[in-house]
Amino acid sequence: QLLLRTGIGYNLSESNNNILLGYAFIQSQVYTNAVDKKTVNENRIFQQFINKEKLGTFFFLNRFRIEERFIESDFKARFRYFFAVNKPLNKKTMEKNAVYLSAYDEIFLNFQNPVFDQNRLYGGVGFCFNKNLRVETGYMAQMFSNRTQSQFVLMFFNNLPF
């Protein structure tokens, strides 16, 4: 799967609250049988609100997102709620050269039936190159209504300030 996501945001307060309007392109290759794959392209527009809080050396993030999904010739909409916590191990903040633990849970709810789409539970470790660039790896379990899928995840985060 290829996922490219971008957006433009506005900080409502100095560092705790942010709104964002974004776009994502997702290309998935789904196996139709043991050999053949089908490529599915999705264009997604989304709006989100993020609240960040710090308690001691723990960093919490709440994200509320609404997505309008254009999958081939189909349209779907859903709500996502994301709760994350990061804990630096060798620094007091998420700063340059910080190694940190990361965990999150995210639930996806459709605006149409079935309402429950999926839930993602994640745990990992990361490294901050600086306050705007970091890398993270971990394990994620995706729970769907009829199955659970586990996967190794590698993520890069780049937050360019303007």
Side-chain angles (χ1 to χ4, degrees):
Q1 185 179 64
L2 171 68
L3 188 151
L4 303 171
R5 185 171 22 230
T6 189
I8 186 161
Y10 178 76
N11 290 329
L12 298 172
S13 61
E14 194 169 305
S15 62
N16 289 2
N17 297 299
N18 174 276
I19 56 173
L20 185 131
L21 175 63
Y23 167 78
F25 172 78
I26 299 94
Q27 184 177 76
S28 301
Q29 292 185 335
V30 180
Y31 281 94
T32 55
N33 57 44
V35 178
D36 298 320
K37 290 189 276 189
K38 177 184 175 189
T39 299
V40 178
N41 292 321
E42 176 180 347
N43 290 283
R44 189 181 294 174
I45 300 167
F46 63 94
Q47 307 79 42
Q48 71 183 29
F49 171 77
I50 291 180
N51 168 260
K52 297 178 185 178
E53 298 293 334
K54 181 178 186 272
L55 183 59
T57 58
F58 288 87
F59 293 83
F60 299 96
L61 184 139
N62 289 283
R63 182 182 71 208
F64 304 86
R65 180 182 286 170
I66 295 174
E67 297 177 327
E68 295 82 25
R69 306 172 66 206
F70 302 89
I71 307 166
E72 301 291 325
S73 61
D74 196 13
F75 173 79
K76 297 180 180 181
R78 69 181 174 193
F79 170 77
R80 294 168 63 167
Y81 171 69
F82 176 88
F83 175 76
V85 61
N86 289 335
K87 167 74 170 105
L89 298 174
N90 63 334
K91 304 274 186 175
K92 291 186 180 183
T93 64
M94 298 286 287
E95 63 188 67
K96 185 176 180 178
N97 296 324
V99 176
Y100 63 93
L101 295 176
S102 177
Y104 71 73
D105 186 49
E106 183 173 22
I107 188 163
F108 298 65
L109 302 173
N110 294 313
F111 288 143
Q112 65 279 347
N113 285 325
V115 173
F116 176 78
D117 186 5
Q118 64 179 281
N119 190 63
R120 294 179 180 170
L121 188 59
Y122 168 84
V125 63
F127 178 78
C128 295
F129 294 100
N130 57 49
K131 69 178 186 172
N132 295 317
L133 183 64
R134 59 190 169 99
V135 63
E136 191 172 306
T137 188
Y139 172 83
M140 180 173 57
Q142 286 184 272
M143 292 148 271
F144 302 92
S145 60
N146 59 353
R147 65 183 166 82
T148 298
Q149 175 181 323
S150 299
Q151 62 192 36
F152 169 77
V153 180
L154 178 62
M155 297 178 276
F156 295 94
F157 299 91
N158 185 8
N159 184 22
L160 296 174
F162 290 100

